[in-house]
Amino acid sequence: GVMYFLAPGQVLRVETVEDTTGEPSGWLLLIHPDFLWNTPLSKNISRHDFFGYACHEALFLSEKEEEIIHGISQNISREIQGNIDQFSHQIIIAQLEGLLGYADRFYNRQFITRRISSHRVLSQLEALLDNYFNQNEQVLHGAPSVQYVSEKLNVSPNYLSGLLKTLTGQSTQQHIQEKLITLAKQKLSTTDLTVSEIAYELGFEHLPSFSKLFKNKTNQSPLEF
């Protein structure tokens, strides 16, 4: 089973291939944003990063996981088709929260079970950052952004950060910052460059921004280091 999430405003197009055998099956659950108003889910739904994943980053469900998700969809369907009362809205919201919670769990499982492809992405990230800084791209374009890294690795920013957090405990932005700090330490300890010159070479337009990041990561100012 495959599960995919769409955020409001995204476009979905379904195409069928003529030479395939069998009929496609499945279901689509559509939720109007107004339905979430005045519920905790209206505020918390944004923490589910998978609404920003690309199509090829769908959730691949095991048979047991598919049964769990299908069971939740049936509960929602029965509630909608039954007699609507003062409890209906609350019960459906609870089912949606459960569905999203299971999706978080299953995506975390997928990052782990698809370990070979996941670690390949991590290796590609390290090589990408090394190549970027070795060619001094940061002097012309600044430090690599999360968007830049994601595009180069052909994954969505949210999916990449979710994968990296599962594997390493750090987001994409944190990986970029760690690389910057490592290079800064090398330059501070092995060259005669001033702190301002090092900040410029690492792609920082303003010295205070570099000093603040360095101190946050090392508990020392660049000069103290």
Side-chain angles (χ1 to χ4, degrees):
V2 177
M3 192 171 189
Y4 180 58
F5 294 85
L6 290 162
Q10 290 182 318
V11 178
L12 172 67
R13 181 176 68 189
V14 179
E15 296 180 348
T16 57
V17 182
E18 293 181 359
D19 59 352
T20 55
T21 58
E23 291 293 323
S25 62
W27 47 266
L28 187 66
L29 175 62
L30 301 174
I31 307 159
H32 196 287
D34 290 358
F35 189 73
L36 306 181
W37 283 4
N38 296 320
T39 71
L41 188 55
S42 65
K43 181 176 66 175
N44 297 332
I45 196 168
S46 61
R47 71 178 178 84
H48 298 286
D49 291 336
F50 44 71
F51 282 104
Y53 290 178
C55 294
H56 62 278
E57 298 159 349
L59 179 57
F60 294 88
L61 301 170
S62 69
E63 188 173 335
K64 183 178 180 181
E65 292 169 349
E66 192 173 355
E67 290 176 1
I68 293 173
I69 296 297
H70 187 59
I72 294 175
S73 75
Q74 288 182 316
N75 290 341
I76 294 174
S77 179
R78 280 193 292 265
E79 199 62 38
I80 292 172
Q81 295 171 10
N83 295 323
I84 302 297
D85 56 31
Q86 60 180 329
F87 300 104
S88 300
H89 183 251
Q90 175 186 345
I91 291 173
I92 294 174
I93 290 293
Q95 294 293 326
L96 292 175
E97 289 176 328
L99 186 148
L100 296 174
Y102 275 115
D104 274 326
R105 168 185 281 180
F106 298 157
Y107 257 115
N108 191 70
R109 182 270 309 157
Q110 182 165 293
F111 289 143
I112 296 172
T113 55
R114 302 180 75 182
R115 187 172 295 275
I116 294 177
S117 60
S118 297
H119 279 282
R120 186 180 300 122
V121 171
L122 181 58
S123 298
Q124 290 170 341
L125 170 64
E126 294 298 327
L128 174 65
L129 293 178
D130 285 340
N131 187 58
Y132 188 92
F133 289 110
N134 287 339
Q135 295 185 7
N136 291 320
E137 293 285 343
Q138 74 279 5
V139 177
L140 296 175
H141 308 293
S145 65
V146 173
Q147 186 67 38
Y148 170 86
V149 170
S150 301
E151 288 177 357
K152 289 294 184 181
L153 297 178
N154 196 33
V155 293
S156 66
N158 286 352
Y159 187 87
L160 180 59
S161 282
L163 184 151
L164 291 175
K165 281 183 179 179
T166 299
L167 290 179
T168 68
Q170 293 185 320
S171 66
T172 310
Q173 185 64 44
Q174 289 171 319
H175 273 271
I176 295 172
Q177 291 174 347
E178 288 294 330
K179 179 65 70 173
L180 284 168
I181 297 303
T182 298
L183 291 172
K185 287 179 177 179
Q186 290 174 356
K187 291 179 182 294
L188 286 167
S189 59
T190 62
T191 72
D192 295 325
L193 296 173
T194 66
V195 175
S196 295
E197 289 171 332
I198 291 173
Y200 172 76
E201 285 200 356
L202 292 177
F204 289 86
E205 293 184 5
H206 306 291
L207 176 59
S209 298
F210 168 68
S211 297
K212 181 179 179 181
L213 175 64
F214 193 92
K215 189 157 190 175
N216 284 341
K217 293 294 184 180
T218 67
N219 292 321
Q220 288 181 303
S221 70
L223 281 176
E224 288 171 338
F225 179 83

